[in-house]
Amino acid sequence: QTCSILFNRKFTQLPHLAGTEQNLRYAEQIKKEWMEFGLDSVEMVPYDVLLSYPNKSEPNYISIIDQLGNEVFNTSLAEPVPEGYENVSNIVPPYSAFSAKGQPEGDLVYVNYGRTEDFFQLQREMNINVTGKIVIVRYGKIFRGNKVKNAMLAGAKGIIMFSDPADYWAADVQPYPDGWNLPGGGAQRGNVLNLNGAGDPLTPGYPAKDYTYRFSLEDGVGLPKIPVHPIGFHDAVNLLKNMGGQIPPNNWKGALNVSYRIGPGFTDDFKSQKVRMNIHTDNQVTRIYNVIGRIRGALEPDRYVILGGHRDAWVFGGIDPMSGAAVVHETVRSAGKLLSKGWRPRRTIIFASWDAEEFGLVGSTEWAEDNTKLLQERAVAYINADSAIEGMYTLRVDCTPSLHTLVYDLTKQIASPEDGEEGVSLYESWHKRDNWTNDRDAPRISKLGSGSDFEAYFIRLGIAAGRARYTKNKKTERYSSYPVYHSVYETFEIVEKFYDPSFKRLQAVAQVRGGLIFLLADSQLLPLDVNQYADSLRKYAQSITQLAQKHPEEMKMYEVSFDSLFSAVENFTVAARDLHECLQTLDRADPLQVRIMNDQLMYLERAFIDPLGLPGRPFYRHVIFAPSSHNKYAGESFPGIYDALFDIQNSADPEKAWEEVKRQISIAAFTVHAAAMTLTPPA
Amino acid sequence: QTCSILFNRKFTQLPHLAGTEQNLRYAEQIKKEWMEFGLDSVEMVPYDVLLSYPNKSEPNYISIIDQLGNEVFNTSLAEPVPEGYENVSNIVPPYSAFSAKGQPEGDLVYVNYGRTEDFFQLQREMNINVTGKIVIVRYGKIFRGNKVKNAMLAGAKGIIMFSDPADYWAADVQPYPDGWNLPGGGAQRGNVLNLNGAGDPLTPGYPAKDYTYRFSLEDGVGLPKIPVHPIGFHDAVNLLKNMGGQIPPNNWKGALNVSYRIGPGFTDDFKSQKVRMNIHTDNQVTRIYNVIGRIRGALEPDRYVILGGHRDAWVFGGIDPMSGAAVVHETVRSAGKLLSKGWRPRRTIIFASWDAEEFGLVGSTEWAEDNTKLLQERAVAYINADSAIEGMYTLRVDCTPSLHTLVYDLTKQIASPEDGEEGVSLYESWHKRDNWTNDRDAPRISKLGSGSDFEAYFIRLGIAAGRARYTKNKKTERYSSYPVYHSVYETFEIVEKFYDPSFKRLQAVAQVRGGLIFLLADSQLLPLDVNQYADSLRKYAQSITQLAQKHPEEMKMYEVSFDSLFSAVENFTVAARDLHECLQTLDRADPLQVRIMNDQLMYLERAFIDPLGLPGRPFYRHVIFAPSSHNKYAGESFPGIYDALFDIQNSADPEKAWEEVKRQISIAAFTVHAAAMTLTPPA
């Protein structure tokens, strides 16, 4: 606990953006301390990847210009720096990493959150074409890269994203430093790529080493072709207040004192004014560093349990990622202590401090690419350690179904960090605050989406994965993420003053993440629950069927049936039950038999991987879990079917669209059958 | 030996084309006998796949027509049936399976073997455009499907393939039944697909089960869009003899008494005559059956050693495949005997009688797709058992480098089957007849190409694989394959009278195939030689570099370097040596340590698999070995680089073409590095 406070204070004093000298210094410091803690080995692993920085001599900003081209309003060039950090240099101003360069001029169109459905509504109901326009959207609901992609597809020549208080203010909370809301001058940095798991945009599928072939920028994966820029709401008001055009539906209105008119362009009085974006951000191949530490397994050195989280931050990273990095550090320290007392886990444990997560999960993905063969054959589980805290309410866990039982068992052994809950377990505290559903009496566990470093391990490679953090009350707190997300206001102090003054919540998260690692690495039999996977598959099959049944006539006309999927799930369920029965009678004194069973458990997650990938997304290969194509943040079950159903509303050829649904059902049924086969006795 | 004769006689009396009732009967018979031999289990595994048959009421043939459209010559509708088989029904006439239907009319153009270089020569040196023409090519040198693809790419509207005596007659040998040469009325059946490993054309990537989504015929993989038909040389003479146009270069001339003029069309006297193809072949989804037998491994039931060969034949299959199927049968019988004496192998052995190999390796590929997860995790090796004999000279082995040493060790224990070589080992007999090269004193072993059922196991899944058969003297015998290949003359008698009267050669091949299976299944440590892989990789890297160095100026201009590949090979070499040193000191009494080492050995071949596949060939995933895009039969090393170099001569944009070479070198270097990592101690 003390260590974790110290770590957080020490590693959040200076900006440590990926690719900068300061982030290398922190890496060296972490390496040094991990060695001192007693790991068997610690190494720095560099890659040369495409990053993106503002041009220091030509700042990015957005202007309103009059008919002579004079700038009558300019957005701010930086956020007001929080007290105590005034003399810090190298604070990168808010920008959209990997934005195209350019100075497009034109009329604004407001498109709500910039979701697929927002653009549909704009085009179909409001009859507005954004070709050649600059769109302005509010942050929230979906990953910003999806907003940019939607704007490009709609023909926009630029996109501005702003933080609306409706989405980044909690009720009755003051802006930082008096509270933890986002000040009006704050803005959200972030990359605007559509990588779909590719990692470094220039070396998709392969690690970005010295000898690696690099695509040209034109052929790079997921790079937007239009300028993009983020602003805070003080600036947004100035762009929005004079907008003309239709009055939007209520659910398009945020909380600013403007009408949120759609445009295009300004009202009559300001008709001659246009908006110009001035974006000079540069892409450049830059060296990044992962720090990789290891404890060699005593009996099964070729089985890997991985705890990884990123180190790079947009600015100080008080929450994202250092509240998580502190947890990794703490876990390494504990493991080192145990090692010095003669303990050694059955399996190998790997600790990772990833670089360049903020630029598209790049450090973790390159390392996964570099080690792809080893991971495929040997990795038991990957536990992610990004921000340990995003709220003050209770635990949040997203993980693969086979880890559910382990998470429940473990959290029953951990104390609640909440005041007034002495003697109450984390499980009970969590359960009380976030029960799963009406039909299941257990704390809620969610599906993994994407947006953090587990992506390549889980969605590309099929390694059982999970993440845990402290979160808000999602029933009462409607804002997206936490208000100061990716702003300069993510300081050590915001955690110390508001999110976790006693550091007990961080400690609880550390106990969950660390506990998972220790149990996965040291149990003779892997603590993976295959029956739980069966239950989840059934639930997912029911839910995707319900989604399809919104189109009962087409289901009939095109003879769409989910029977094969349910039959596969049934098959899987029986196989899972039989496997767990076998485990009861296993001779645990026979090392080969134990290994064979553990292999079956370990490789189950791998069985859901389709090397052909999801349609158009070759690096998203998990047939059961992946983000939809419309929002990288949200994990969908049966994402191939989900996307095919989504596309029906957008298809000029419904028969073809329904054929794709049928094809995806068939792939899902096959995959579940194939996974069931891996659970039956091996010969 | 006796069993093998009986088997061959019994299973070659009736035609047993894939999808016919007779082939199902043979499957049932094999299943029954394997059960009687004592396997632990035998099952029939059906799939519903796209096959292709001549239309029974509208025969396929080719006509010469006069200007009124009258047929002045028609090719024969069937081959003269060999003595003793006159009353056999269901002999399918010669046809090109999966030909498009149609009756194209036009002028003929003769294009030698129809290779990429032949079409280049035709277009660039002879200035002949085949758009709208019917091309006629001789069989041989490359896979017939590649000829068809080349004809389509060149714009031909039909393609005729004939067997030229230059390619299907051995010197001083009589045509069957007096010798083993191809009679003038014989023709070569065969599929003309370009599947590139996809298996069933309608279900690429997934097993063709009842619930599986099927593409429409238009979207099927590799189906030719033009009519195709094979003829014998008696018919070919009639099509060729009056052809006009240029006199071809000498290496375009076959051994018929015609001038081999290029065309287009006939000489002046016959100018008004055209050629019409009449092709009515039907594609239809048809049920096929693999027979799968198993012996459960005593200690490692989850490790699979596979012996598989096909059962379906174009007609009787006297050589292809029954000479090979007999070997599988014999091996099952031997294994059964051992089992009855209390023996049980350490690992599981799987025996397979594949269906529909002749239609594109379909049965074996569907089963590989069905069991893909199990095979990826558990398969140690796949040994192929197609035709055991294609000549009378010596042994031929194609296998992955890690099996070389095992093949040599094993053949030293087997007796030569040749008369007058009593007391001589198969190794010595083989070595004497086919020494590798000047710089290596050992019998030649070749790279695996494709064209038989190991393809999905080796090239898609990365399972160590090999094949062995008896072959001709390739220095003196210039004909392609064996003369009666895929004709009605492949009878039991041709083997009994000419190829192997004592059945000793078949027995030797059985000992090689069976011996490999038994040693792979029962050795405590897997008998795979990783050092040999290192040696081979170095040789391949040198040879691909030499190929590139045919373009020294471009190599310099585009900065093409193979250094990264050689550095990876060096890395691999050191890792391989270290691994074999570790094996020396391994504690063989520790079952977990033995398993860990064996896993490293087993997964080495898997490490060469790139899930992204080779460019445009998603199911060819082995970075070290695959056929080139220009000839499915020949195995190339570093096929990605090879194809990229091949494409340089054909590219309108040399810079782009060389960029692709560089990209492929980078992928090869990465893959070899990644494979080397799997050989180093696991943590």
Side-chain angles (χ1 to χ4, degrees):
Chain A
Q1 186 188 344
T2 316
C3 168
S4 143
I5 298 174
L6 288 177
F7 178 91
N8 271 41
R9 184 164 285 152
K10 191 162 59 180
F11 288 81
T12 54
Q13 290 312 296
L14 294 171
H16 50 288
L17 191 61
T20 63
E21 203 184 324
Q22 186 55 47
N23 201 37
L24 169 57
R25 280 205 202 116
Y26 281 170
E28 285 165 342
Q29 183 71 17
I30 286 170
K31 177 182 173 188
K32 182 165 158 279
E33 295 187 16
W34 286 5
M35 286 303 298
E36 288 164 6
F37 290 156
L39 294 188
D40 293 328
S41 72
V42 188
E43 48 172 349
M44 300 270 276
V45 186
Y47 299 101
D48 297 311
V49 302
L50 193 71
L51 300 185
S52 160
Y53 301 109
N55 185 322
K56 279 184 182 163
S57 50
E58 283 189 293
N60 298 325
Y61 63 98
I62 295 160
S63 312
I64 298 178
I65 52 173
D66 66 20
Q67 59 200 111
L68 300 173
N70 297 316
E71 298 176 341
V72 299
F73 167 76
N74 289 338
T75 58
S76 46
L77 301 185
E79 296 164 299
V81 174
E83 207 185 306
Y85 294 89
E86 295 87 349
N87 298 322
V88 171
S89 51
N90 294 324
I91 296 174
V92 77
Y95 74 115
S96 296
F98 302 103
S99 167
K101 285 174 194 280
Q103 295 183 283
E105 274 179 36
D107 285 333
L108 284 185
V109 176
Y110 170 65
V111 204
N112 201 18
Y113 292 105
R115 295 170 296 191
T116 305
E117 55 266 39
D118 295 325
F119 277 97
F120 281 175
Q121 202 172 344
L122 185 82
Q123 290 157 340
R124 294 173 189 181
E125 293 172 25
M126 306 177 191
N127 277 306
I128 293 176
N129 181 343
V130 301
T131 305
K133 304 286 186 286
I134 294 171
V135 300
I136 180 164
V137 303
R138 47 178 171 155
Y139 264 129
K141 305 291 184 199
I142 65 168
F143 171 59
R144 71 186 85 74
N146 292 96
K147 298 172 195 263
V148 172
K149 180 178 147 199
N150 291 339
M152 280 170 58
L153 287 173
K157 61 181 177 183
I159 171 170
I160 301 164
M161 299 180 290
F162 70 97
S163 305
D164 195 290
D167 305 288
Y168 291 88
W169 273 48
D172 306 320
V173 172
Q174 293 297 306
Y176 189 78
D178 301 315
W180 41 273
N181 268 345
L182 181 67
Q188 184 188 124
R189 293 157 188 77
N191 82 69
V192 291
L193 296 167
N194 279 280
L195 286 176
N196 293 316
D200 171 36
L202 303 188
T203 63
Y206 308 97
K209 309 244 228 184
D210 52 355
Y211 65 80
T212 307
Y213 183 82
R214 282 172 175 74
F215 286 116
S216 65
L217 279 175
E218 297 79 65
D219 294 331
V221 177
L223 297 164
K225 307 286 185 194
I226 58 174
V228 192
H229 194 63
I231 58 175
F233 59 82
H234 282 173
D235 281 335
V237 164
N238 286 288
L239 295 180
L240 295 170
K241 69 184 179 193
N242 295 327
M243 280 184 71
Q246 301 175 38
I247 294 193
N250 277 334
N251 60 3
W252 282 45
K253 290 181 183 163
L256 293 174
N257 188 21
V258 299
S259 63
Y260 290 93
R261 285 176 188 267
I262 305 296
F266 295 120
T267 52
D268 289 347
D269 294 350
F270 301 90
K271 220 156 200 121
S272 61
Q273 295 188 349
K274 302 281 175 207
V275 166
R276 180 165 63 206
M277 299 178 72
N278 303 281
I279 307 297
H280 307 283
T281 295
D282 282 313
N283 292 317
Q284 52 192 81
V285 173
T286 309
R287 178 148 292 194
I288 62 168
Y289 299 87
N290 296 325
V291 185
I292 304 290
R294 282 166 212 264
I295 298 173
R296 196 184 60 258
L299 293 175
E300 296 187 90
D302 65 340
R303 290 295 174 258
Y304 302 157
V305 176
I306 304 164
L307 178 64
H310 70 107
R311 182 184 70 254
D312 67 301
W314 283 115
V315 188
F316 304 111
I319 295 174
D320 178 4
M322 300 323 276
S323 65
V327 164
V328 178
H329 214 65
E330 186 67 16
T331 309
V332 174
R333 195 174 62 108
S334 309
K337 271 194 191 163
L338 287 169
L339 280 173
S340 72
K341 290 178 188 156
W343 172 85
R344 182 165 286 281
R346 181 180 178 92
R347 304 182 182 85
T348 292
I349 301 178
I350 297 177
F351 299 100
S353 167
W354 306 124
D355 204 346
E357 189 264 5
E358 297 295 3
F359 290 84
L361 320 177
V362 175
S364 57
T365 304
E366 295 309 302
W367 197 80
E369 291 177 334
D370 207 355
N371 293 274
T372 179
K373 305 301 172 189
L374 301 182
L375 292 166
Q376 209 166 285
E377 292 157 15
R378 302 178 187 170
V380 167
Y382 175 95
I383 302 299
N384 200 56
D386 204 339
S387 312
I389 197 158
E390 62 181 15
M392 306 157 215
Y393 184 64
T394 192
L395 189 67
R396 170 179 168 185
V397 175
D398 306 353
C399 69
T400 191
S402 55
L403 285 171
H404 287 188
T405 307
L406 182 64
V407 167
Y408 291 146
D409 290 347
L410 175 64
T411 50
K412 286 173 185 166
Q413 309 303 317
I414 296 172
S416 164
E418 296 301 317
D419 286 345
E421 292 190 347
E422 287 71 28
V424 173
S425 73
L426 178 60
Y427 179 91
E428 289 168 276
S429 170
W430 175 28
H431 191 184
K432 186 173 73 187
R433 287 178 175 76
D434 194 17
N435 190 48
W436 193 309
T437 59
N438 293 332
D439 45 70
R440 177 148 191 205
D441 190 27
R444 177 199 312 272
I445 294 182
S446 301
K447 299 189 284 281
L448 283 164
S450 181
S452 194
D453 292 303
F454 58 86
E455 185 192 72
Y457 300 85
F458 186 58
I459 306 177
R460 189 194 295 198
L461 295 175
I463 298 164
R467 63 194 308 199
R469 54 197 142 155
Y470 228 74
T471 195
K472 67 188 176 180
N473 181 345
K474 72 173 176 183
K475 286 183 206 121
T476 59
E477 305 180 66
R478 310 296 300 175
Y479 53 87
S480 288
S481 70
Y482 48 94
V484 298
Y485 173 66
H486 284 191
S487 75
V488 75
Y489 309 108
E490 278 203 41
T491 56
F492 174 73
E493 289 76 18
I494 205 170
V495 176
E496 190 188 33
K497 281 199 198 143
F498 303 110
Y499 279 94
D500 196 15
S502 66
F503 278 81
K504 279 191 185 163
R505 290 170 180 143
L506 279 193
Q507 189 186 12
V509 171
Q511 287 169 328
V512 175
R513 293 176 178 176
L516 290 171
I517 291 296
F518 285 100
L519 291 168
L520 287 160
D522 211 22
S523 306
Q524 191 198 24
L525 271 178
L526 286 175
L528 296 171
D529 183 346
V530 176
N531 285 326
Q532 184 59 58
Y533 223 125
D535 288 354
S536 297
L537 287 173
R538 172 164 292 108
K539 210 170 62 181
Y540 303 149
Q542 283 160 352
S543 119
I544 198 78
T545 307
Q546 275 167 22
L547 194 65
Q549 278 164 347
K550 289 185 180 170
H551 313 266
E553 284 166 31
E554 289 96 328
M555 292 271 287
K556 206 178 237 175
M557 180 170 14
Y558 298 115
E559 298 177 326
V560 181
S561 161
F562 285 84
D563 290 356
S564 63
L565 182 57
F566 281 101
S567 152
V569 168
E570 183 52 33
N571 200 350
F572 186 98
T573 305
V574 172
R577 204 170 48 215
D578 291 351
L579 180 85
H580 279 285
E581 260 168 40
C582 275
L583 285 174
Q584 301 304 316
T585 60
L586 177 67
D587 177 5
R588 291 188 173 222
D590 181 335
L592 210 42
Q593 281 198 46
V594 170
R595 171 89 168 194
I596 289 171
M597 273 294 181
N598 278 335
D599 278 1
Q600 287 192 273
L601 292 166
M602 174 176 76
Y603 286 129
L604 171 60
E605 195 79 47
R606 227 78 94 234
F608 295 115
I609 291 298
D610 187 335
L612 297 174
L614 295 171
R617 301 190 292 175
F619 302 110
Y620 280 167
R621 297 179 182 156
H622 202 302
V623 173
I624 312 303
F625 297 109
S628 95
S629 290
H630 302 275
N631 179 17
K632 191 175 88 165
Y633 285 153
E636 298 295 343
S637 44
F638 296 122
I641 310 177
Y642 179 90
D643 269 6
L645 285 170
F646 197 106
D647 286 348
I648 279 166
Q649 54 185 306
N650 193 24
S651 174
D653 182 346
E655 180 170 356
K656 205 174 148 194
W658 280 101
E659 285 296 306
E660 178 62 11
V661 172
K662 287 157 74 171
R663 193 173 80 89
Q664 290 299 329
I665 294 170
S666 159
I667 292 172
F670 163 68
T671 304
V672 173
H673 273 303
M677 288 167 74
T678 70
L679 300 178
T680 61
Chain B
Q1 186 187 345
T2 316
C3 169
S4 145
I5 299 174
L6 289 176
F7 177 91
N8 272 40
R9 184 164 283 151
K10 191 162 61 178
F11 288 82
T12 54
Q13 291 310 297
L14 293 171
H16 49 289
L17 190 61
T20 64
E21 201 184 325
Q22 187 55 47
N23 201 37
L24 168 57
R25 280 206 202 117
Y26 280 170
E28 285 164 343
Q29 185 70 18
I30 286 170
K31 178 183 171 185
K32 183 166 157 281
E33 296 188 14
W34 286 6
M35 286 303 299
E36 288 163 6
F37 291 154
L39 294 189
D40 294 327
S41 73
V42 188
E43 48 172 349
M44 301 270 274
V45 185
Y47 299 100
D48 297 312
V49 302
L50 193 72
L51 300 185
S52 160
Y53 302 109
N55 185 322
K56 280 185 181 162
S57 50
E58 284 189 292
N60 298 327
Y61 64 98
I62 296 160
S63 312
I64 298 177
I65 53 173
D66 66 18
Q67 58 200 115
L68 300 173
N70 297 317
E71 297 176 342
V72 299
F73 167 76
N74 288 339
T75 58
S76 46
L77 302 184
E79 296 163 299
V81 174
E83 208 184 304
Y85 294 88
E86 295 85 349
N87 298 321
V88 171
S89 51
N90 293 324
I91 295 175
V92 78
Y95 74 114
S96 296
F98 302 103
S99 167
K101 285 172 194 280
Q103 297 183 282
E105 275 179 37
D107 285 333
L108 284 185
V109 175
Y110 170 64
V111 204
N112 202 17
Y113 293 105
R115 295 170 295 190
T116 305
E117 55 267 39
D118 295 325
F119 277 98
F120 281 175
Q121 203 172 343
L122 185 83
Q123 291 158 341
R124 296 175 188 179
E125 294 172 26
M126 307 179 192
N127 276 307
I128 294 176
N129 181 344
V130 301
T131 305
K133 305 286 186 286
I134 294 171
V135 300
I136 180 165
V137 303
R138 46 177 171 157
Y139 264 129
K141 306 292 184 199
I142 63 167
F143 172 59
R144 71 186 84 74
N146 292 94
K147 298 172 194 266
V148 173
K149 179 179 147 201
N150 291 339
M152 280 169 57
L153 286 173
K157 60 182 178 183
I159 170 169
I160 301 165
M161 298 180 291
F162 69 98
S163 305
D164 195 288
D167 306 288
Y168 291 88
W169 272 49
D172 306 320
V173 172
Q174 292 298 305
Y176 190 78
D178 302 314
W180 42 273
N181 267 345
L182 181 68
Q188 184 190 126
R189 293 156 188 78
N191 83 67
V192 291
L193 295 167
N194 279 281
L195 286 176
N196 294 314
D200 172 36
L202 304 188
T203 62
Y206 307 98
K209 310 245 228 185
D210 53 356
Y211 66 79
T212 306
Y213 183 82
R214 282 173 176 73
F215 286 114
S216 66
L217 279 175
E218 297 80 66
D219 294 331
V221 177
L223 298 163
K225 307 286 186 194
I226 58 175
V228 192
H229 194 63
I231 58 177
F233 60 83
H234 282 174
D235 282 334
V237 163
N238 286 288
L239 295 180
L240 294 171
K241 68 183 178 192
N242 295 328
M243 280 185 71
Q246 301 174 40
I247 295 192
N250 278 334
N251 59 3
W252 283 45
K253 289 180 183 163
L256 293 173
N257 188 20
V258 299
S259 63
Y260 290 93
R261 285 175 188 267
I262 304 297
F266 295 119
T267 52
D268 289 350
D269 294 351
F270 301 90
K271 207 131 221 140
S272 62
Q273 295 188 348
K274 303 280 174 205
V275 167
R276 179 165 64 207
M277 300 178 70
N278 303 280
I279 306 298
H280 307 282
T281 295
D282 282 313
N283 293 316
Q284 52 192 82
V285 173
T286 309
R287 177 148 294 195
I288 62 168
Y289 299 87
N290 297 326
V291 185
I292 305 291
R294 281 166 214 265
I295 298 174
R296 199 184 58 258
L299 293 175
E300 297 187 88
D302 65 338
R303 290 295 174 259
Y304 302 157
V305 176
I306 306 164
L307 178 64
H310 71 107
R311 181 185 71 255
D312 67 302
W314 282 114
V315 189
F316 305 111
I319 295 174
D320 177 7
M322 301 322 275
S323 64
V327 165
V328 177
H329 214 64
E330 187 66 16
T331 309
V332 174
R333 195 173 63 106
S334 310
K337 269 193 191 163
L338 287 170
L339 280 173
S340 72
K341 290 178 187 157
W343 172 84
R344 182 166 284 281
R346 180 181 178 91
R347 304 183 182 84
T348 293
I349 300 179
I350 298 177
F351 298 100
S353 167
W354 305 125
D355 204 345
E357 188 266 4
E358 297 295 4
F359 290 84
L361 319 178
V362 175
S364 57
T365 303
E366 296 307 302
W367 197 79
E369 290 177 335
D370 208 355
N371 293 275
T372 178
K373 304 300 172 190
L374 301 181
L375 293 166
Q376 208 166 286
E377 291 158 15
R378 301 177 187 171
V380 168
Y382 175 95
I383 302 299
N384 200 54
D386 204 338
S387 312
I389 198 157
E390 61 180 16
M392 306 155 213
Y393 183 64
T394 193
L395 189 67
R396 170 178 168 185
V397 175
D398 306 354
C399 69
T400 192
S402 54
L403 285 171
H404 288 188
T405 306
L406 182 64
V407 167
Y408 290 145
D409 290 348
L410 174 64
T411 51
K412 287 174 185 166
Q413 310 302 317
I414 297 172
S416 166
E418 296 302 319
D419 286 347
E421 292 191 346
E422 287 73 25
V424 173
S425 72
L426 178 61
Y427 179 92
E428 290 167 276
S429 170
W430 173 30
H431 191 184
K432 187 173 68 188
R433 287 177 174 78
D434 194 15
N435 190 51
W436 194 310
T437 59
N438 293 333
D439 45 69
R440 177 150 191 205
D441 189 29
R444 178 198 310 272
I445 295 182
S446 299
K447 298 187 285 277
L448 284 164
S450 181
S452 194
D453 292 304
F454 58 86
E455 185 192 73
Y457 300 85
F458 186 57
I459 306 177
R460 190 195 292 200
L461 294 175
I463 298 164
R467 62 193 309 199
R469 55 197 142 153
Y470 227 73
T471 195
K472 65 186 177 183
N473 181 345
K474 71 174 175 178
K475 286 182 205 124
T476 60
E477 305 180 68
R478 310 296 301 174
Y479 52 87
S480 288
S481 68
Y482 49 94
V484 299
Y485 172 67
H486 284 190
S487 76
V488 75
Y489 309 108
E490 278 202 42
T491 57
F492 173 73
E493 290 76 17
I494 206 170
V495 177
E496 189 188 33
K497 279 199 200 146
F498 303 108
Y499 280 94
D500 196 16
S502 65
F503 279 81
K504 279 192 188 163
R505 292 172 179 142
L506 279 193
Q507 189 187 11
V509 171
Q511 288 169 327
V512 175
R513 294 175 178 177
L516 289 172
I517 292 295
F518 285 98
L519 290 169
L520 287 161
D522 212 21
S523 306
Q524 189 198 25
L525 268 179
L526 287 175
L528 297 172
D529 183 347
V530 176
N531 285 327
Q532 185 59 60
Y533 224 126
D535 288 353
S536 297
L537 287 174
R538 171 164 293 109
K539 212 171 60 183
Y540 303 150
Q542 282 159 354
S543 120
I544 198 78
T545 306
Q546 274 165 23
L547 195 65
Q549 278 164 349
K550 289 185 181 171
H551 313 266
E553 283 165 31
E554 291 95 329
M555 291 271 288
K556 204 177 240 176
M557 181 172 10
Y558 300 114
E559 298 178 324
V560 181
S561 161
F562 285 84
D563 290 355
S564 63
L565 182 56
F566 281 100
S567 151
V569 168
E570 183 53 32
N571 199 353
F572 186 98
T573 305
V574 172
R577 204 170 46 215
D578 291 352
L579 179 87
H580 279 286
E581 260 168 40
C582 275
L583 286 173
Q584 300 304 317
T585 60
L586 177 67
D587 176 4
R588 291 186 173 225
D590 180 337
L592 209 43
Q593 279 197 46
V594 170
R595 169 89 168 196
I596 289 171
M597 272 296 181
N598 278 334
D599 278 1
Q600 287 191 271
L601 292 166
M602 172 176 77
Y603 286 130
L604 171 61
E605 195 78 47
R606 228 78 95 236
F608 295 114
I609 292 298
D610 187 336
L612 297 174
L614 295 171
R617 302 191 293 175
F619 301 110
Y620 280 167
R621 297 178 183 157
H622 202 302
V623 172
I624 312 303
F625 298 108
S628 93
S629 290
H630 303 274
N631 178 18
K632 189 175 89 164
Y633 285 153
E636 299 296 343
S637 45
F638 296 121
I641 309 177
Y642 180 91
D643 270 7
L645 284 170
F646 197 106
D647 286 348
I648 279 166
Q649 54 185 306
N650 194 24
S651 174
D653 182 346
E655 179 169 357
K656 205 174 148 193
W658 280 102
E659 286 295 306
E660 179 62 12
V661 173
K662 287 157 74 172
R663 192 172 82 89
Q664 290 299 329
I665 295 171
S666 158
I667 291 172
F670 163 68
T671 304
V672 174
H673 272 303
M677 287 167 75
T678 71
L679 300 178
T680 60

